[in-house]
Structures are given as structure tokens and as C-alpha cells.
Amino acid sequence: MSPKTTWLLVAGLAVTLGTLPTVTGHAAIKTNFTKIHYSEDAFSHNQFTNIAYHAKSTKKNAYIWNDTHTKKLYNLKTYPTYTWFKLASGTYKGNSHWIEVTNFVDSKRGWIYSPQLVKGFSTKGYQPTKRSYKQPTYAGGIYHVKSTKKNAYLWNWTHAKKLANLKNYTNQNYSRRHSVLITHQGTSHWYSYVSVTIKKKTINGYVRSSALAAGKTTNHQGQNILQPDDFVATKDYLQYLNDSKYQKLARSLIKLFPNTPVDLGLSQIAAYNFATNDTWEEDPPEEIGYDRLQGHRAVHQGRNLLNGQQDQDQRPEARGRREAVGPGRLHQGQARQADQLQAGHLHPEQRQGR
């Protein structure tokens, strides 16, 4: 395996799993602590119970120091609701009661005198007590917000700040990167870590897992260009074609074929098997229930046949006959529309936005 391939695999794994705890290389650290015994494997493997600590007092100063014990990094009383997780134990100037700790998202770590801590999760605020990447129970899959009426807040990891209300974004699909069990006043609930796009910005946070339902959304209001695999059934596909401001050409073309119903399954087959641009991300759609499918070549042949008829009709002796054949002109217009869309009227949205 080439170095480039290896790098791509590692990068892809990182994207798939989402935010993982950072494990600092031990050998690269310059430290004045000695006799260090590392236990951070428990943290990186989400085994929190035996390494959880919280401040003995939220009113007294209790500092977390850097690796050389030359700089105070954080004061525990500034973070009264935090649970801290033990990464290592060590000795400083002959005193062995020092431990290295970090917060849940591993954004604040350093050394602290352990008598200033009490073992166990903090009883204040909302405490993430478990984290799981196990698929499909706690990670992976496509989800949508259940209700447009019930609040579904997206929180930061401390559950102290509302980032968004997902009931306002039921037109988006959500993929769970992982889940955490958050405990508050003796009650625990699972939260899913997801992303929402608001005004072209991506916001990450935790939403109550019970607010989500498995499967893709059928609400596509406000969405512009969608792929055929973004729909659940013909019903929501047709609603998108009828309502979207980006589908004017699609609606015009559908009117040319009033007796031909729009069909999502057939549109998916057309997009995957016959489209000229490779935009399909899922497995090939099944062709069960369909037969006599024709590709682009057959559409172009039909167009050329009509154009040949038109060329012959340009002769003076055929003008009268041409004027009498009204439906022929309509068929030529249909062929030109089909030629513009390449895949027929089955999936016109792929040609939007040019």
C-alpha cells in the first residue's frame, strides 16, 4: 500500500468516526513530572467510570498546570459543572499526588494536585457519562427530525447552550457520528451527535436521540438541487418537483406528457444507468417491475428521426403537408426537450443550476 493510499484511509476513518479524543504522544512531551504512569487508554476507549473526578470545592482555587509546572492553565472553580478524567499519575518534587486530567471533549488538559478532586462524576449540571460509536445502535445511519411542532434543541457538549432548534430544519437529513448518555439530577437520556446546515454554515452538537426517527426526510421545502436517492417515495419526489422554484423546467416538461406519471423508481434507474454525470452515491437501484428501458441513444435516435422528417418537409412541395401536420411539430418539441435533459423527463433536476 502506498503512503498516499494509507493517508487517505486514515483521513477517511477520521471523517467517518467524527470527533475522537486526542492522545498526545508521550515521548514528545517535555515535562518536569516524573514516575509518570499513563492510563489514558481508558479515556480513549470511552471507559469513564473509573477515571472520573470533579472539584472538591467550586469556590476555592484549584489550578491545572502545564507539563513543566510553570504555568497555571485553568482554575477548577471557573468550570464548576465539569467532570475531569484522569489520563496519568505522576510525581512532582517528590510529591506523588499529582494526576493529569482532561475534560470530556479533551480541549482542556493538564496536571492537578489530586487531593483537590473527588472521585466520580460531578453532580452539577448535565454530565456525559457514556460515549459510544457502536453501529447501528449509537452511530451511523440516516435520520430525520420527527416533529415540526416539538422542540428538538441542538446543544453544545456541556448542555449549557442551545445551538439550534432542529424542529425548524425538518427538511434536512442527519447522520449520527456517535452518541452520549447525559445524566442530569438522576435521569439519563441518550443524545446523538449530528450536524445541521444553517445559512450555509455547519453547526455540530447534541440532540436528544428520541427526537430523531430513522430514514430520510420527506420534507424538501427550501432545498435546491437534490439527487434521486434523496427521496423516499414518488409522493415526496413529485411534491418537490411541483413546489421547488428550481424545477420550472421540470414542470414544463411534465406538462408535455400529461398521460405519463412521474415515477421515483424509474427516475432513479434513469439517473444511475443513463445519466452522463456520475452523481449516484448509493448502490445501483433495482429494475424490478420495469421493462423495455431505453437509454440516451434511443432518445437521440428518435430525435434524429424527427429532424430527418423535418428536413424533408422543408422542400417546397411538402410545405402544405407540413402545415397540416400539427402534432408532428409538437413531437419535435418534445424531442428537443428530451435532448436537453438527456435522461428524459424522469430526473430533470440534474440539469438545473447551469
Side-chain angles (χ1 to χ4, degrees):
M1 184 179 294
S2 67
K4 180 178 181 181
T5 302
T6 302
W7 185 89
L8 290 173
L9 287 174
V10 173
L13 180 61
V15 171
T16 302
L17 295 180
T19 305
L20 290 172
T22 302
V23 179
T24 306
H26 304 157
I29 297 175
K30 179 182 178 181
T31 179
N32 289 332
F33 291 88
T34 60
K35 299 179 181 179
I36 298 175
H37 175 71
Y38 291 98
S39 56
E40 63 186 10
D41 282 349
F43 178 72
S44 62
H45 288 89
N46 305 307
Q47 299 170 354
F48 302 132
T49 302
N50 294 328
I51 59 172
Y53 291 81
H54 61 277
K56 179 180 290 187
S57 172
T58 57
K59 297 180 179 180
K60 295 181 179 180
N61 293 326
Y63 295 109
I64 293 178
W65 295 80
N66 65 349
D67 290 307
T68 57
H69 202 279
T70 56
K71 182 179 180 181
K72 298 173 183 175
L73 301 177
Y74 315 106
N75 192 339
L76 263 58
K77 74 175 184 180
T78 308
Y79 308 96
T81 65
Y82 275 28
T83 293
W84 301 91
F85 301 95
K86 178 182 175 182
L87 301 178
S89 60
T91 298
Y92 178 71
K93 292 186 176 180
N95 190 318
S96 60
H97 297 289
W98 286 85
I99 61 173
E100 185 184 24
V101 296
T102 188
N103 61 355
F104 182 73
V105 293
D106 198 18
S107 61
K108 294 177 173 60
R109 64 160 60 189
W111 292 87
I112 187 170
Y113 186 53
S114 61
Q116 295 175 314
L117 299 174
V118 176
K119 195 166 185 178
F121 293 96
S122 173
T123 58
K124 302 179 183 299
Y126 291 78
Q127 297 303 317
T129 56
K130 293 183 180 179
R131 176 170 50 204
S132 178
Y133 292 86
K134 183 180 179 181
Q135 298 187 25
T137 307
Y138 299 110
I142 300 297
Y143 289 78
H144 64 277
V145 177
K146 285 182 180 179
S147 174
T148 59
K149 298 179 179 180
K150 294 183 179 181
N151 292 324
Y153 292 115
L154 190 72
W155 297 87
N156 66 342
W157 72 270
T158 60
H159 205 284
K161 182 179 180 181
K162 297 174 183 176
L163 305 177
N165 193 342
L166 297 190
K167 77 172 185 178
N168 300 321
Y169 303 95
T170 59
N171 62 341
Q172 296 188 35
N173 293 318
Y174 301 91
S175 178
R176 301 177 305 166
R177 294 190 226 174
H178 63 267
S179 297
V180 297
L181 184 66
I182 295 182
T183 300
H184 175 64
Q185 296 181 347
T187 302
S188 299
H189 297 281
W190 281 98
Y191 283 71
S192 298
Y193 186 71
V194 299
S195 301
V196 62
T197 301
I198 301 177
K199 296 181 180 179
K200 298 182 179 181
K201 293 184 178 180
T202 300
I203 300 175
N204 303 313
Y206 292 92
V207 63
R208 184 83 69 86
S209 298
S210 59
L212 303 177
K216 300 172 183 175
T217 182
T218 58
N219 174 23
H220 309 293
Q221 186 176 4
Q223 300 288 6
N224 48 21
I225 307 303
L226 297 176
Q227 299 303 323
D229 54 330
D230 289 326
F231 301 95
V232 176
T234 296
K235 181 179 179 180
D236 64 298
Y237 177 50
L238 187 57
Q239 183 178 2
Y240 166 73
L241 294 180
N242 289 333
D243 297 342
S244 175
K245 65 180 181 179
Y246 298 95
Q247 298 303 312
K248 293 181 180 179
L249 179 58
R251 291 190 288 271
S252 298
L253 187 56
I254 290 174
K255 290 180 181 179
L256 294 175
F257 301 87
N259 297 320
T260 304
V262 173
D263 184 273
L264 175 62
L266 196 55
S267 298
Q268 291 174 335
I269 293 171
Y272 182 85
N273 293 326
F274 304 123
T276 57
N277 53 334
D278 184 17
T279 57
W280 195 268
E281 296 181 355
E282 296 188 356
D283 294 332
E286 296 183 355
E287 297 185 6
I288 298 176
Y290 304 98
D291 57 10
R292 293 182 294 175
L293 299 175
Q294 299 294 330
H296 300 304
R297 184 171 300 178
V299 175
H300 284 291
Q301 287 175 347
R303 173 186 62 96
N304 293 335
L305 179 62
L306 288 172
N307 286 343
Q309 173 88 32
Q310 183 183 34
D311 292 340
Q312 293 180 2
D313 286 350
Q314 297 304 318
R315 294 174 297 177
E317 62 270 20
R319 287 177 182 171
R321 177 167 56 83
R322 184 190 63 196
E323 295 294 334
V325 186
R329 292 201 304 275
L330 176 60
H331 291 172
Q332 292 167 14
Q334 293 171 348
R336 283 195 294 273
Q337 291 278 17
D339 182 46
Q340 292 173 358
L341 293 172
Q342 295 191 6
H345 75 288
L346 301 175
H347 186 56
E349 61 269 24
Q350 287 196 321
R351 307 299 300 165
Q352 301 298 310
R354 286 195 169 185

Short mmCIF file of all heavy atoms in Angstrom, two decimals, residues 75-110:
data_model
loop_
_atom_site.label_atom_id
_atom_site.label_comp_id
_atom_site.label_asym_id
_atom_site.label_seq_id
_atom_site.Cartn_x
_atom_site.Cartn_y
_atom_site.Cartn_z
N ASN A 75 -8.53 27.17 36.20
CA ASN A 75 -8.94 27.15 37.59
C ASN A 75 -10.27 26.39 37.68
O ASN A 75 -11.25 26.78 37.04
CB ASN A 75 -9.11 28.57 38.12
CG ASN A 75 -9.26 28.62 39.63
OD1 ASN A 75 -9.61 27.64 40.27
ND2 ASN A 75 -8.97 29.78 40.22
N LEU A 76 -10.31 25.32 38.47
CA LEU A 76 -11.49 24.47 38.50
C LEU A 76 -12.76 25.21 38.91
O LEU A 76 -13.85 24.85 38.47
CB LEU A 76 -11.26 23.30 39.46
CG LEU A 76 -10.82 21.98 38.81
CD1 LEU A 76 -9.53 22.15 38.03
CD2 LEU A 76 -10.69 20.88 39.85
N LYS A 77 -12.63 26.23 39.73
CA LYS A 77 -13.84 26.94 40.15
C LYS A 77 -14.48 27.71 38.99
O LYS A 77 -15.63 28.14 39.09
CB LYS A 77 -13.54 27.87 41.32
CG LYS A 77 -12.79 29.14 40.99
CD LYS A 77 -12.67 30.01 42.23
CE LYS A 77 -12.02 31.37 41.91
NZ LYS A 77 -11.91 32.22 43.12
N THR A 78 -13.71 27.88 37.89
CA THR A 78 -14.27 28.51 36.69
C THR A 78 -15.15 27.53 35.92
O THR A 78 -15.98 27.94 35.11
CB THR A 78 -13.13 29.02 35.78
OG1 THR A 78 -12.26 29.84 36.54
CG2 THR A 78 -13.67 29.84 34.62
N TYR A 79 -14.98 26.25 36.19
CA TYR A 79 -15.73 25.20 35.49
C TYR A 79 -16.44 24.32 36.52
O TYR A 79 -16.12 23.14 36.67
CB TYR A 79 -14.79 24.37 34.62
CG TYR A 79 -13.92 25.21 33.72
CD1 TYR A 79 -12.61 25.57 34.09
CD2 TYR A 79 -14.40 25.69 32.50
CE1 TYR A 79 -11.81 26.34 33.26
CE2 TYR A 79 -13.61 26.48 31.67
CZ TYR A 79 -12.32 26.80 32.07
OH TYR A 79 -11.54 27.58 31.25
N PRO A 80 -17.40 24.89 37.24
CA PRO A 80 -18.00 24.17 38.37
C PRO A 80 -18.79 22.92 38.00
O PRO A 80 -19.00 22.05 38.85
CB PRO A 80 -18.92 25.23 39.01
CG PRO A 80 -19.25 26.16 37.89
CD PRO A 80 -18.01 26.22 37.05
N THR A 81 -19.22 22.81 36.76
CA THR A 81 -20.03 21.65 36.37
C THR A 81 -19.22 20.56 35.67
O THR A 81 -19.77 19.51 35.33
CB THR A 81 -21.17 22.07 35.43
OG1 THR A 81 -20.61 22.57 34.19
CG2 THR A 81 -22.04 23.15 36.07
N TYR A 82 -17.92 20.80 35.45
CA TYR A 82 -17.11 19.86 34.69
C TYR A 82 -16.81 18.59 35.48
O TYR A 82 -16.55 18.62 36.69
CB TYR A 82 -15.77 20.48 34.29
CG TYR A 82 -15.80 21.30 33.02
CD1 TYR A 82 -16.97 21.93 32.60
CD2 TYR A 82 -14.66 21.45 32.25
CE1 TYR A 82 -16.99 22.69 31.44
CE2 TYR A 82 -14.67 22.21 31.09
CZ TYR A 82 -15.84 22.83 30.69
OH TYR A 82 -15.85 23.56 29.53
N THR A 83 -16.82 17.48 34.76
CA THR A 83 -16.20 16.25 35.24
C THR A 83 -14.86 16.14 34.53
O THR A 83 -14.76 16.37 33.32
CB THR A 83 -17.07 15.02 34.92
OG1 THR A 83 -18.27 15.10 35.69
CG2 THR A 83 -16.34 13.73 35.27
N TRP A 84 -13.83 15.81 35.29
CA TRP A 84 -12.48 15.69 34.75
C TRP A 84 -12.08 14.21 34.72
O TRP A 84 -12.45 13.44 35.61
CB TRP A 84 -11.48 16.49 35.58
CG TRP A 84 -11.83 17.95 35.64
CD1 TRP A 84 -12.61 18.57 36.56
CD2 TRP A 84 -11.44 18.95 34.70
NE1 TRP A 84 -12.74 19.91 36.28
CE2 TRP A 84 -12.03 20.18 35.13
CE3 TRP A 84 -10.66 18.96 33.55
CZ2 TRP A 84 -11.85 21.37 34.46
CZ3 TRP A 84 -10.47 20.17 32.88
CH2 TRP A 84 -11.06 21.34 33.32
N PHE A 85 -11.32 13.85 33.70
CA PHE A 85 -10.98 12.44 33.51
C PHE A 85 -9.47 12.23 33.60
O PHE A 85 -8.69 12.94 32.95
CB PHE A 85 -11.51 11.95 32.16
CG PHE A 85 -13.01 12.10 32.04
CD1 PHE A 85 -13.56 13.23 31.44
CD2 PHE A 85 -13.86 11.15 32.57
CE1 PHE A 85 -14.93 13.39 31.34
CE2 PHE A 85 -15.24 11.29 32.48
CZ PHE A 85 -15.77 12.42 31.87
N LYS A 86 -9.10 11.28 34.40
CA LYS A 86 -7.69 11.02 34.67
C LYS A 86 -7.01 10.37 33.46
O LYS A 86 -7.48 9.38 32.92
CB LYS A 86 -7.56 10.10 35.88
CG LYS A 86 -6.14 9.70 36.24
CD LYS A 86 -6.14 8.76 37.43
CE LYS A 86 -4.72 8.25 37.74
NZ LYS A 86 -4.72 7.30 38.88
N LEU A 87 -5.88 10.95 33.06
CA LEU A 87 -5.09 10.41 31.96
C LEU A 87 -3.80 9.76 32.45
O LEU A 87 -3.29 8.83 31.82
CB LEU A 87 -4.73 11.52 30.96
CG LEU A 87 -5.89 12.27 30.30
CD1 LEU A 87 -5.35 13.36 29.39
CD2 LEU A 87 -6.77 11.32 29.52
N ALA A 88 -3.25 10.27 33.57
CA ALA A 88 -1.97 9.76 34.06
C ALA A 88 -1.77 10.18 35.51
O ALA A 88 -2.45 11.08 36.02
CB ALA A 88 -0.81 10.28 33.20
N SER A 89 -0.85 9.52 36.17
CA SER A 89 -0.43 9.91 37.52
C SER A 89 1.07 10.17 37.48
O SER A 89 1.79 9.58 36.65
CB SER A 89 -0.77 8.82 38.53
OG SER A 89 -0.12 7.60 38.20
N GLY A 90 1.56 11.03 38.35
CA GLY A 90 2.98 11.35 38.34
C GLY A 90 3.44 11.99 39.63
O GLY A 90 2.65 12.24 40.55
N THR A 91 4.72 12.25 39.68
CA THR A 91 5.35 12.84 40.88
C THR A 91 5.96 14.18 40.52
O THR A 91 6.59 14.32 39.46
CB THR A 91 6.44 11.90 41.42
OG1 THR A 91 5.83 10.67 41.81
CG2 THR A 91 7.13 12.52 42.63
N TYR A 92 5.78 15.16 41.39
CA TYR A 92 6.40 16.47 41.19
C TYR A 92 7.10 16.88 42.48
O TYR A 92 6.46 16.99 43.54
CB TYR A 92 5.35 17.52 40.80
CG TYR A 92 5.93 18.90 40.62
CD1 TYR A 92 6.74 19.19 39.53
CD2 TYR A 92 5.69 19.91 41.56
CE1 TYR A 92 7.28 20.44 39.35
CE2 TYR A 92 6.22 21.18 41.40
CZ TYR A 92 7.03 21.44 40.29
OH TYR A 92 7.58 22.69 40.12
N LYS A 93 8.42 17.05 42.39
CA LYS A 93 9.25 17.42 43.53
C LYS A 93 9.02 16.50 44.73
O LYS A 93 8.83 16.93 45.86
CB LYS A 93 9.01 18.88 43.93
CG LYS A 93 9.50 19.88 42.89
CD LYS A 93 9.36 21.32 43.39
CE LYS A 93 9.95 22.31 42.38
NZ LYS A 93 9.81 23.72 42.85
N GLY A 94 8.98 15.22 44.45
CA GLY A 94 8.85 14.21 45.49
C GLY A 94 7.43 13.93 45.94
O GLY A 94 7.19 13.00 46.71
N ASN A 95 6.47 14.72 45.46
CA ASN A 95 5.07 14.51 45.83
C ASN A 95 4.39 13.69 44.74
O ASN A 95 4.32 14.12 43.58
CB ASN A 95 4.36 15.86 46.02
CG ASN A 95 2.98 15.72 46.64
OD1 ASN A 95 2.23 14.83 46.28
ND2 ASN A 95 2.67 16.61 47.57
N SER A 96 3.85 12.55 45.10
CA SER A 96 3.28 11.64 44.11
C SER A 96 1.78 11.81 43.92
O SER A 96 1.15 11.01 43.20
CB SER A 96 3.56 10.18 44.52
OG SER A 96 2.97 9.90 45.79
N HIS A 97 1.21 12.83 44.54
CA HIS A 97 -0.25 13.01 44.45
C HIS A 97 -0.65 13.97 43.33
O HIS A 97 -1.47 14.88 43.53
CB HIS A 97 -0.79 13.51 45.79
CG HIS A 97 -0.58 12.55 46.91
ND1 HIS A 97 -1.26 11.36 47.04
CD2 HIS A 97 0.26 12.61 47.98
CE1 HIS A 97 -0.88 10.72 48.12
NE2 HIS A 97 0.06 11.45 48.71
N TRP A 98 -0.09 13.76 42.18
CA TRP A 98 -0.42 14.59 41.03
C TRP A 98 -1.01 13.69 39.93
O TRP A 98 -0.53 12.58 39.69
CB TRP A 98 0.81 15.32 40.48
CG TRP A 98 1.23 16.45 41.36
CD1 TRP A 98 2.04 16.38 42.46
CD2 TRP A 98 0.85 17.82 41.23
NE1 TRP A 98 2.21 17.61 43.03
CE2 TRP A 98 1.47 18.54 42.29
CE3 TRP A 98 0.06 18.53 40.35
CZ2 TRP A 98 1.34 19.90 42.47
CZ3 TRP A 98 -0.09 19.90 40.52
CH2 TRP A 98 0.54 20.57 41.57
N ILE A 99 -2.05 14.20 39.26
CA ILE A 99 -2.62 13.45 38.13
C ILE A 99 -2.86 14.40 36.95
O ILE A 99 -3.09 15.61 37.14
CB ILE A 99 -3.95 12.75 38.50
CG1 ILE A 99 -5.01 13.76 38.92
CG2 ILE A 99 -3.72 11.70 39.58
CD1 ILE A 99 -6.39 13.13 39.15
N GLU A 100 -2.76 13.85 35.81
CA GLU A 100 -3.09 14.60 34.59
C GLU A 100 -4.54 14.33 34.25
O GLU A 100 -4.98 13.18 34.25
CB GLU A 100 -2.18 14.20 33.43
CG GLU A 100 -2.41 15.05 32.17
CD GLU A 100 -1.59 14.57 30.98
OE1 GLU A 100 -1.22 13.38 30.95
OE2 GLU A 100 -1.33 15.39 30.08
N VAL A 101 -5.29 15.40 33.93
CA VAL A 101 -6.71 15.26 33.66
C VAL A 101 -7.07 16.00 32.37
O VAL A 101 -6.31 16.82 31.86
CB VAL A 101 -7.58 15.81 34.82
CG1 VAL A 101 -7.34 15.00 36.09
CG2 VAL A 101 -7.28 17.30 35.06
N THR A 102 -8.27 15.71 31.88
CA THR A 102 -8.81 16.39 30.71
C THR A 102 -10.32 16.47 30.86
O THR A 102 -10.91 15.74 31.67
CB THR A 102 -8.43 15.68 29.40
OG1 THR A 102 -8.83 16.50 28.28
CG2 THR A 102 -9.10 14.32 29.29
N ASN A 103 -10.95 17.35 30.08
CA ASN A 103 -12.41 17.40 30.09
C ASN A 103 -12.97 16.42 29.06
O ASN A 103 -12.23 15.72 28.37
CB ASN A 103 -12.91 18.82 29.84
CG ASN A 103 -12.49 19.36 28.50
OD1 ASN A 103 -11.74 18.72 27.77
ND2 ASN A 103 -12.96 20.55 28.16
N PHE A 104 -14.28 16.37 28.93
CA PHE A 104 -14.93 15.34 28.12
C PHE A 104 -14.53 15.40 26.65
O PHE A 104 -14.37 14.37 26.00
CB PHE A 104 -16.45 15.46 28.25
CG PHE A 104 -17.21 14.41 27.49
CD1 PHE A 104 -17.25 13.09 27.94
CD2 PHE A 104 -17.87 14.73 26.31
CE1 PHE A 104 -17.93 12.11 27.24
CE2 PHE A 104 -18.57 13.76 25.61
CZ PHE A 104 -18.61 12.45 26.08
N VAL A 105 -14.36 16.60 26.11
CA VAL A 105 -14.00 16.74 24.69
C VAL A 105 -12.49 16.91 24.50
O VAL A 105 -12.03 17.22 23.39
CB VAL A 105 -14.76 17.92 24.05
CG1 VAL A 105 -16.25 17.61 23.99
CG2 VAL A 105 -14.51 19.22 24.80
N ASP A 106 -11.74 16.74 25.57
CA ASP A 106 -10.28 16.80 25.52
C ASP A 106 -9.77 18.13 24.98
O ASP A 106 -8.81 18.19 24.23
CB ASP A 106 -9.73 15.64 24.66
CG ASP A 106 -8.25 15.38 24.92
OD1 ASP A 106 -7.76 15.83 25.98
OD2 ASP A 106 -7.60 14.74 24.08
N SER A 107 -10.42 19.21 25.40
CA SER A 107 -9.98 20.55 24.98
C SER A 107 -9.21 21.27 26.08
O SER A 107 -8.58 22.30 25.82
CB SER A 107 -11.19 21.40 24.56
OG SER A 107 -12.09 21.57 25.66
N LYS A 108 -9.25 20.73 27.30
CA LYS A 108 -8.52 21.32 28.43
C LYS A 108 -7.88 20.19 29.22
O LYS A 108 -8.57 19.42 29.86
CB LYS A 108 -9.47 22.13 29.32
CG LYS A 108 -10.06 23.36 28.66
CD LYS A 108 -11.04 24.07 29.58
CE LYS A 108 -11.49 25.39 28.99
NZ LYS A 108 -12.18 25.22 27.70
N ARG A 109 -6.56 20.13 29.16
CA ARG A 109 -5.86 19.08 29.91
C ARG A 109 -4.64 19.66 30.61
O ARG A 109 -4.07 20.67 30.17
CB ARG A 109 -5.47 17.91 29.01
CG ARG A 109 -4.48 18.23 27.91
CD ARG A 109 -3.79 16.96 27.39
NE ARG A 109 -4.70 15.97 26.84
CZ ARG A 109 -4.32 14.74 26.49
NH1 ARG A 109 -3.05 14.36 26.66
NH2 ARG A 109 -5.18 13.89 25.96
N GLY A 110 -4.25 19.01 31.68
CA GLY A 110 -3.08 19.45 32.44
C GLY A 110 -2.99 18.70 33.75
O GLY A 110 -3.75 17.75 34.00
#
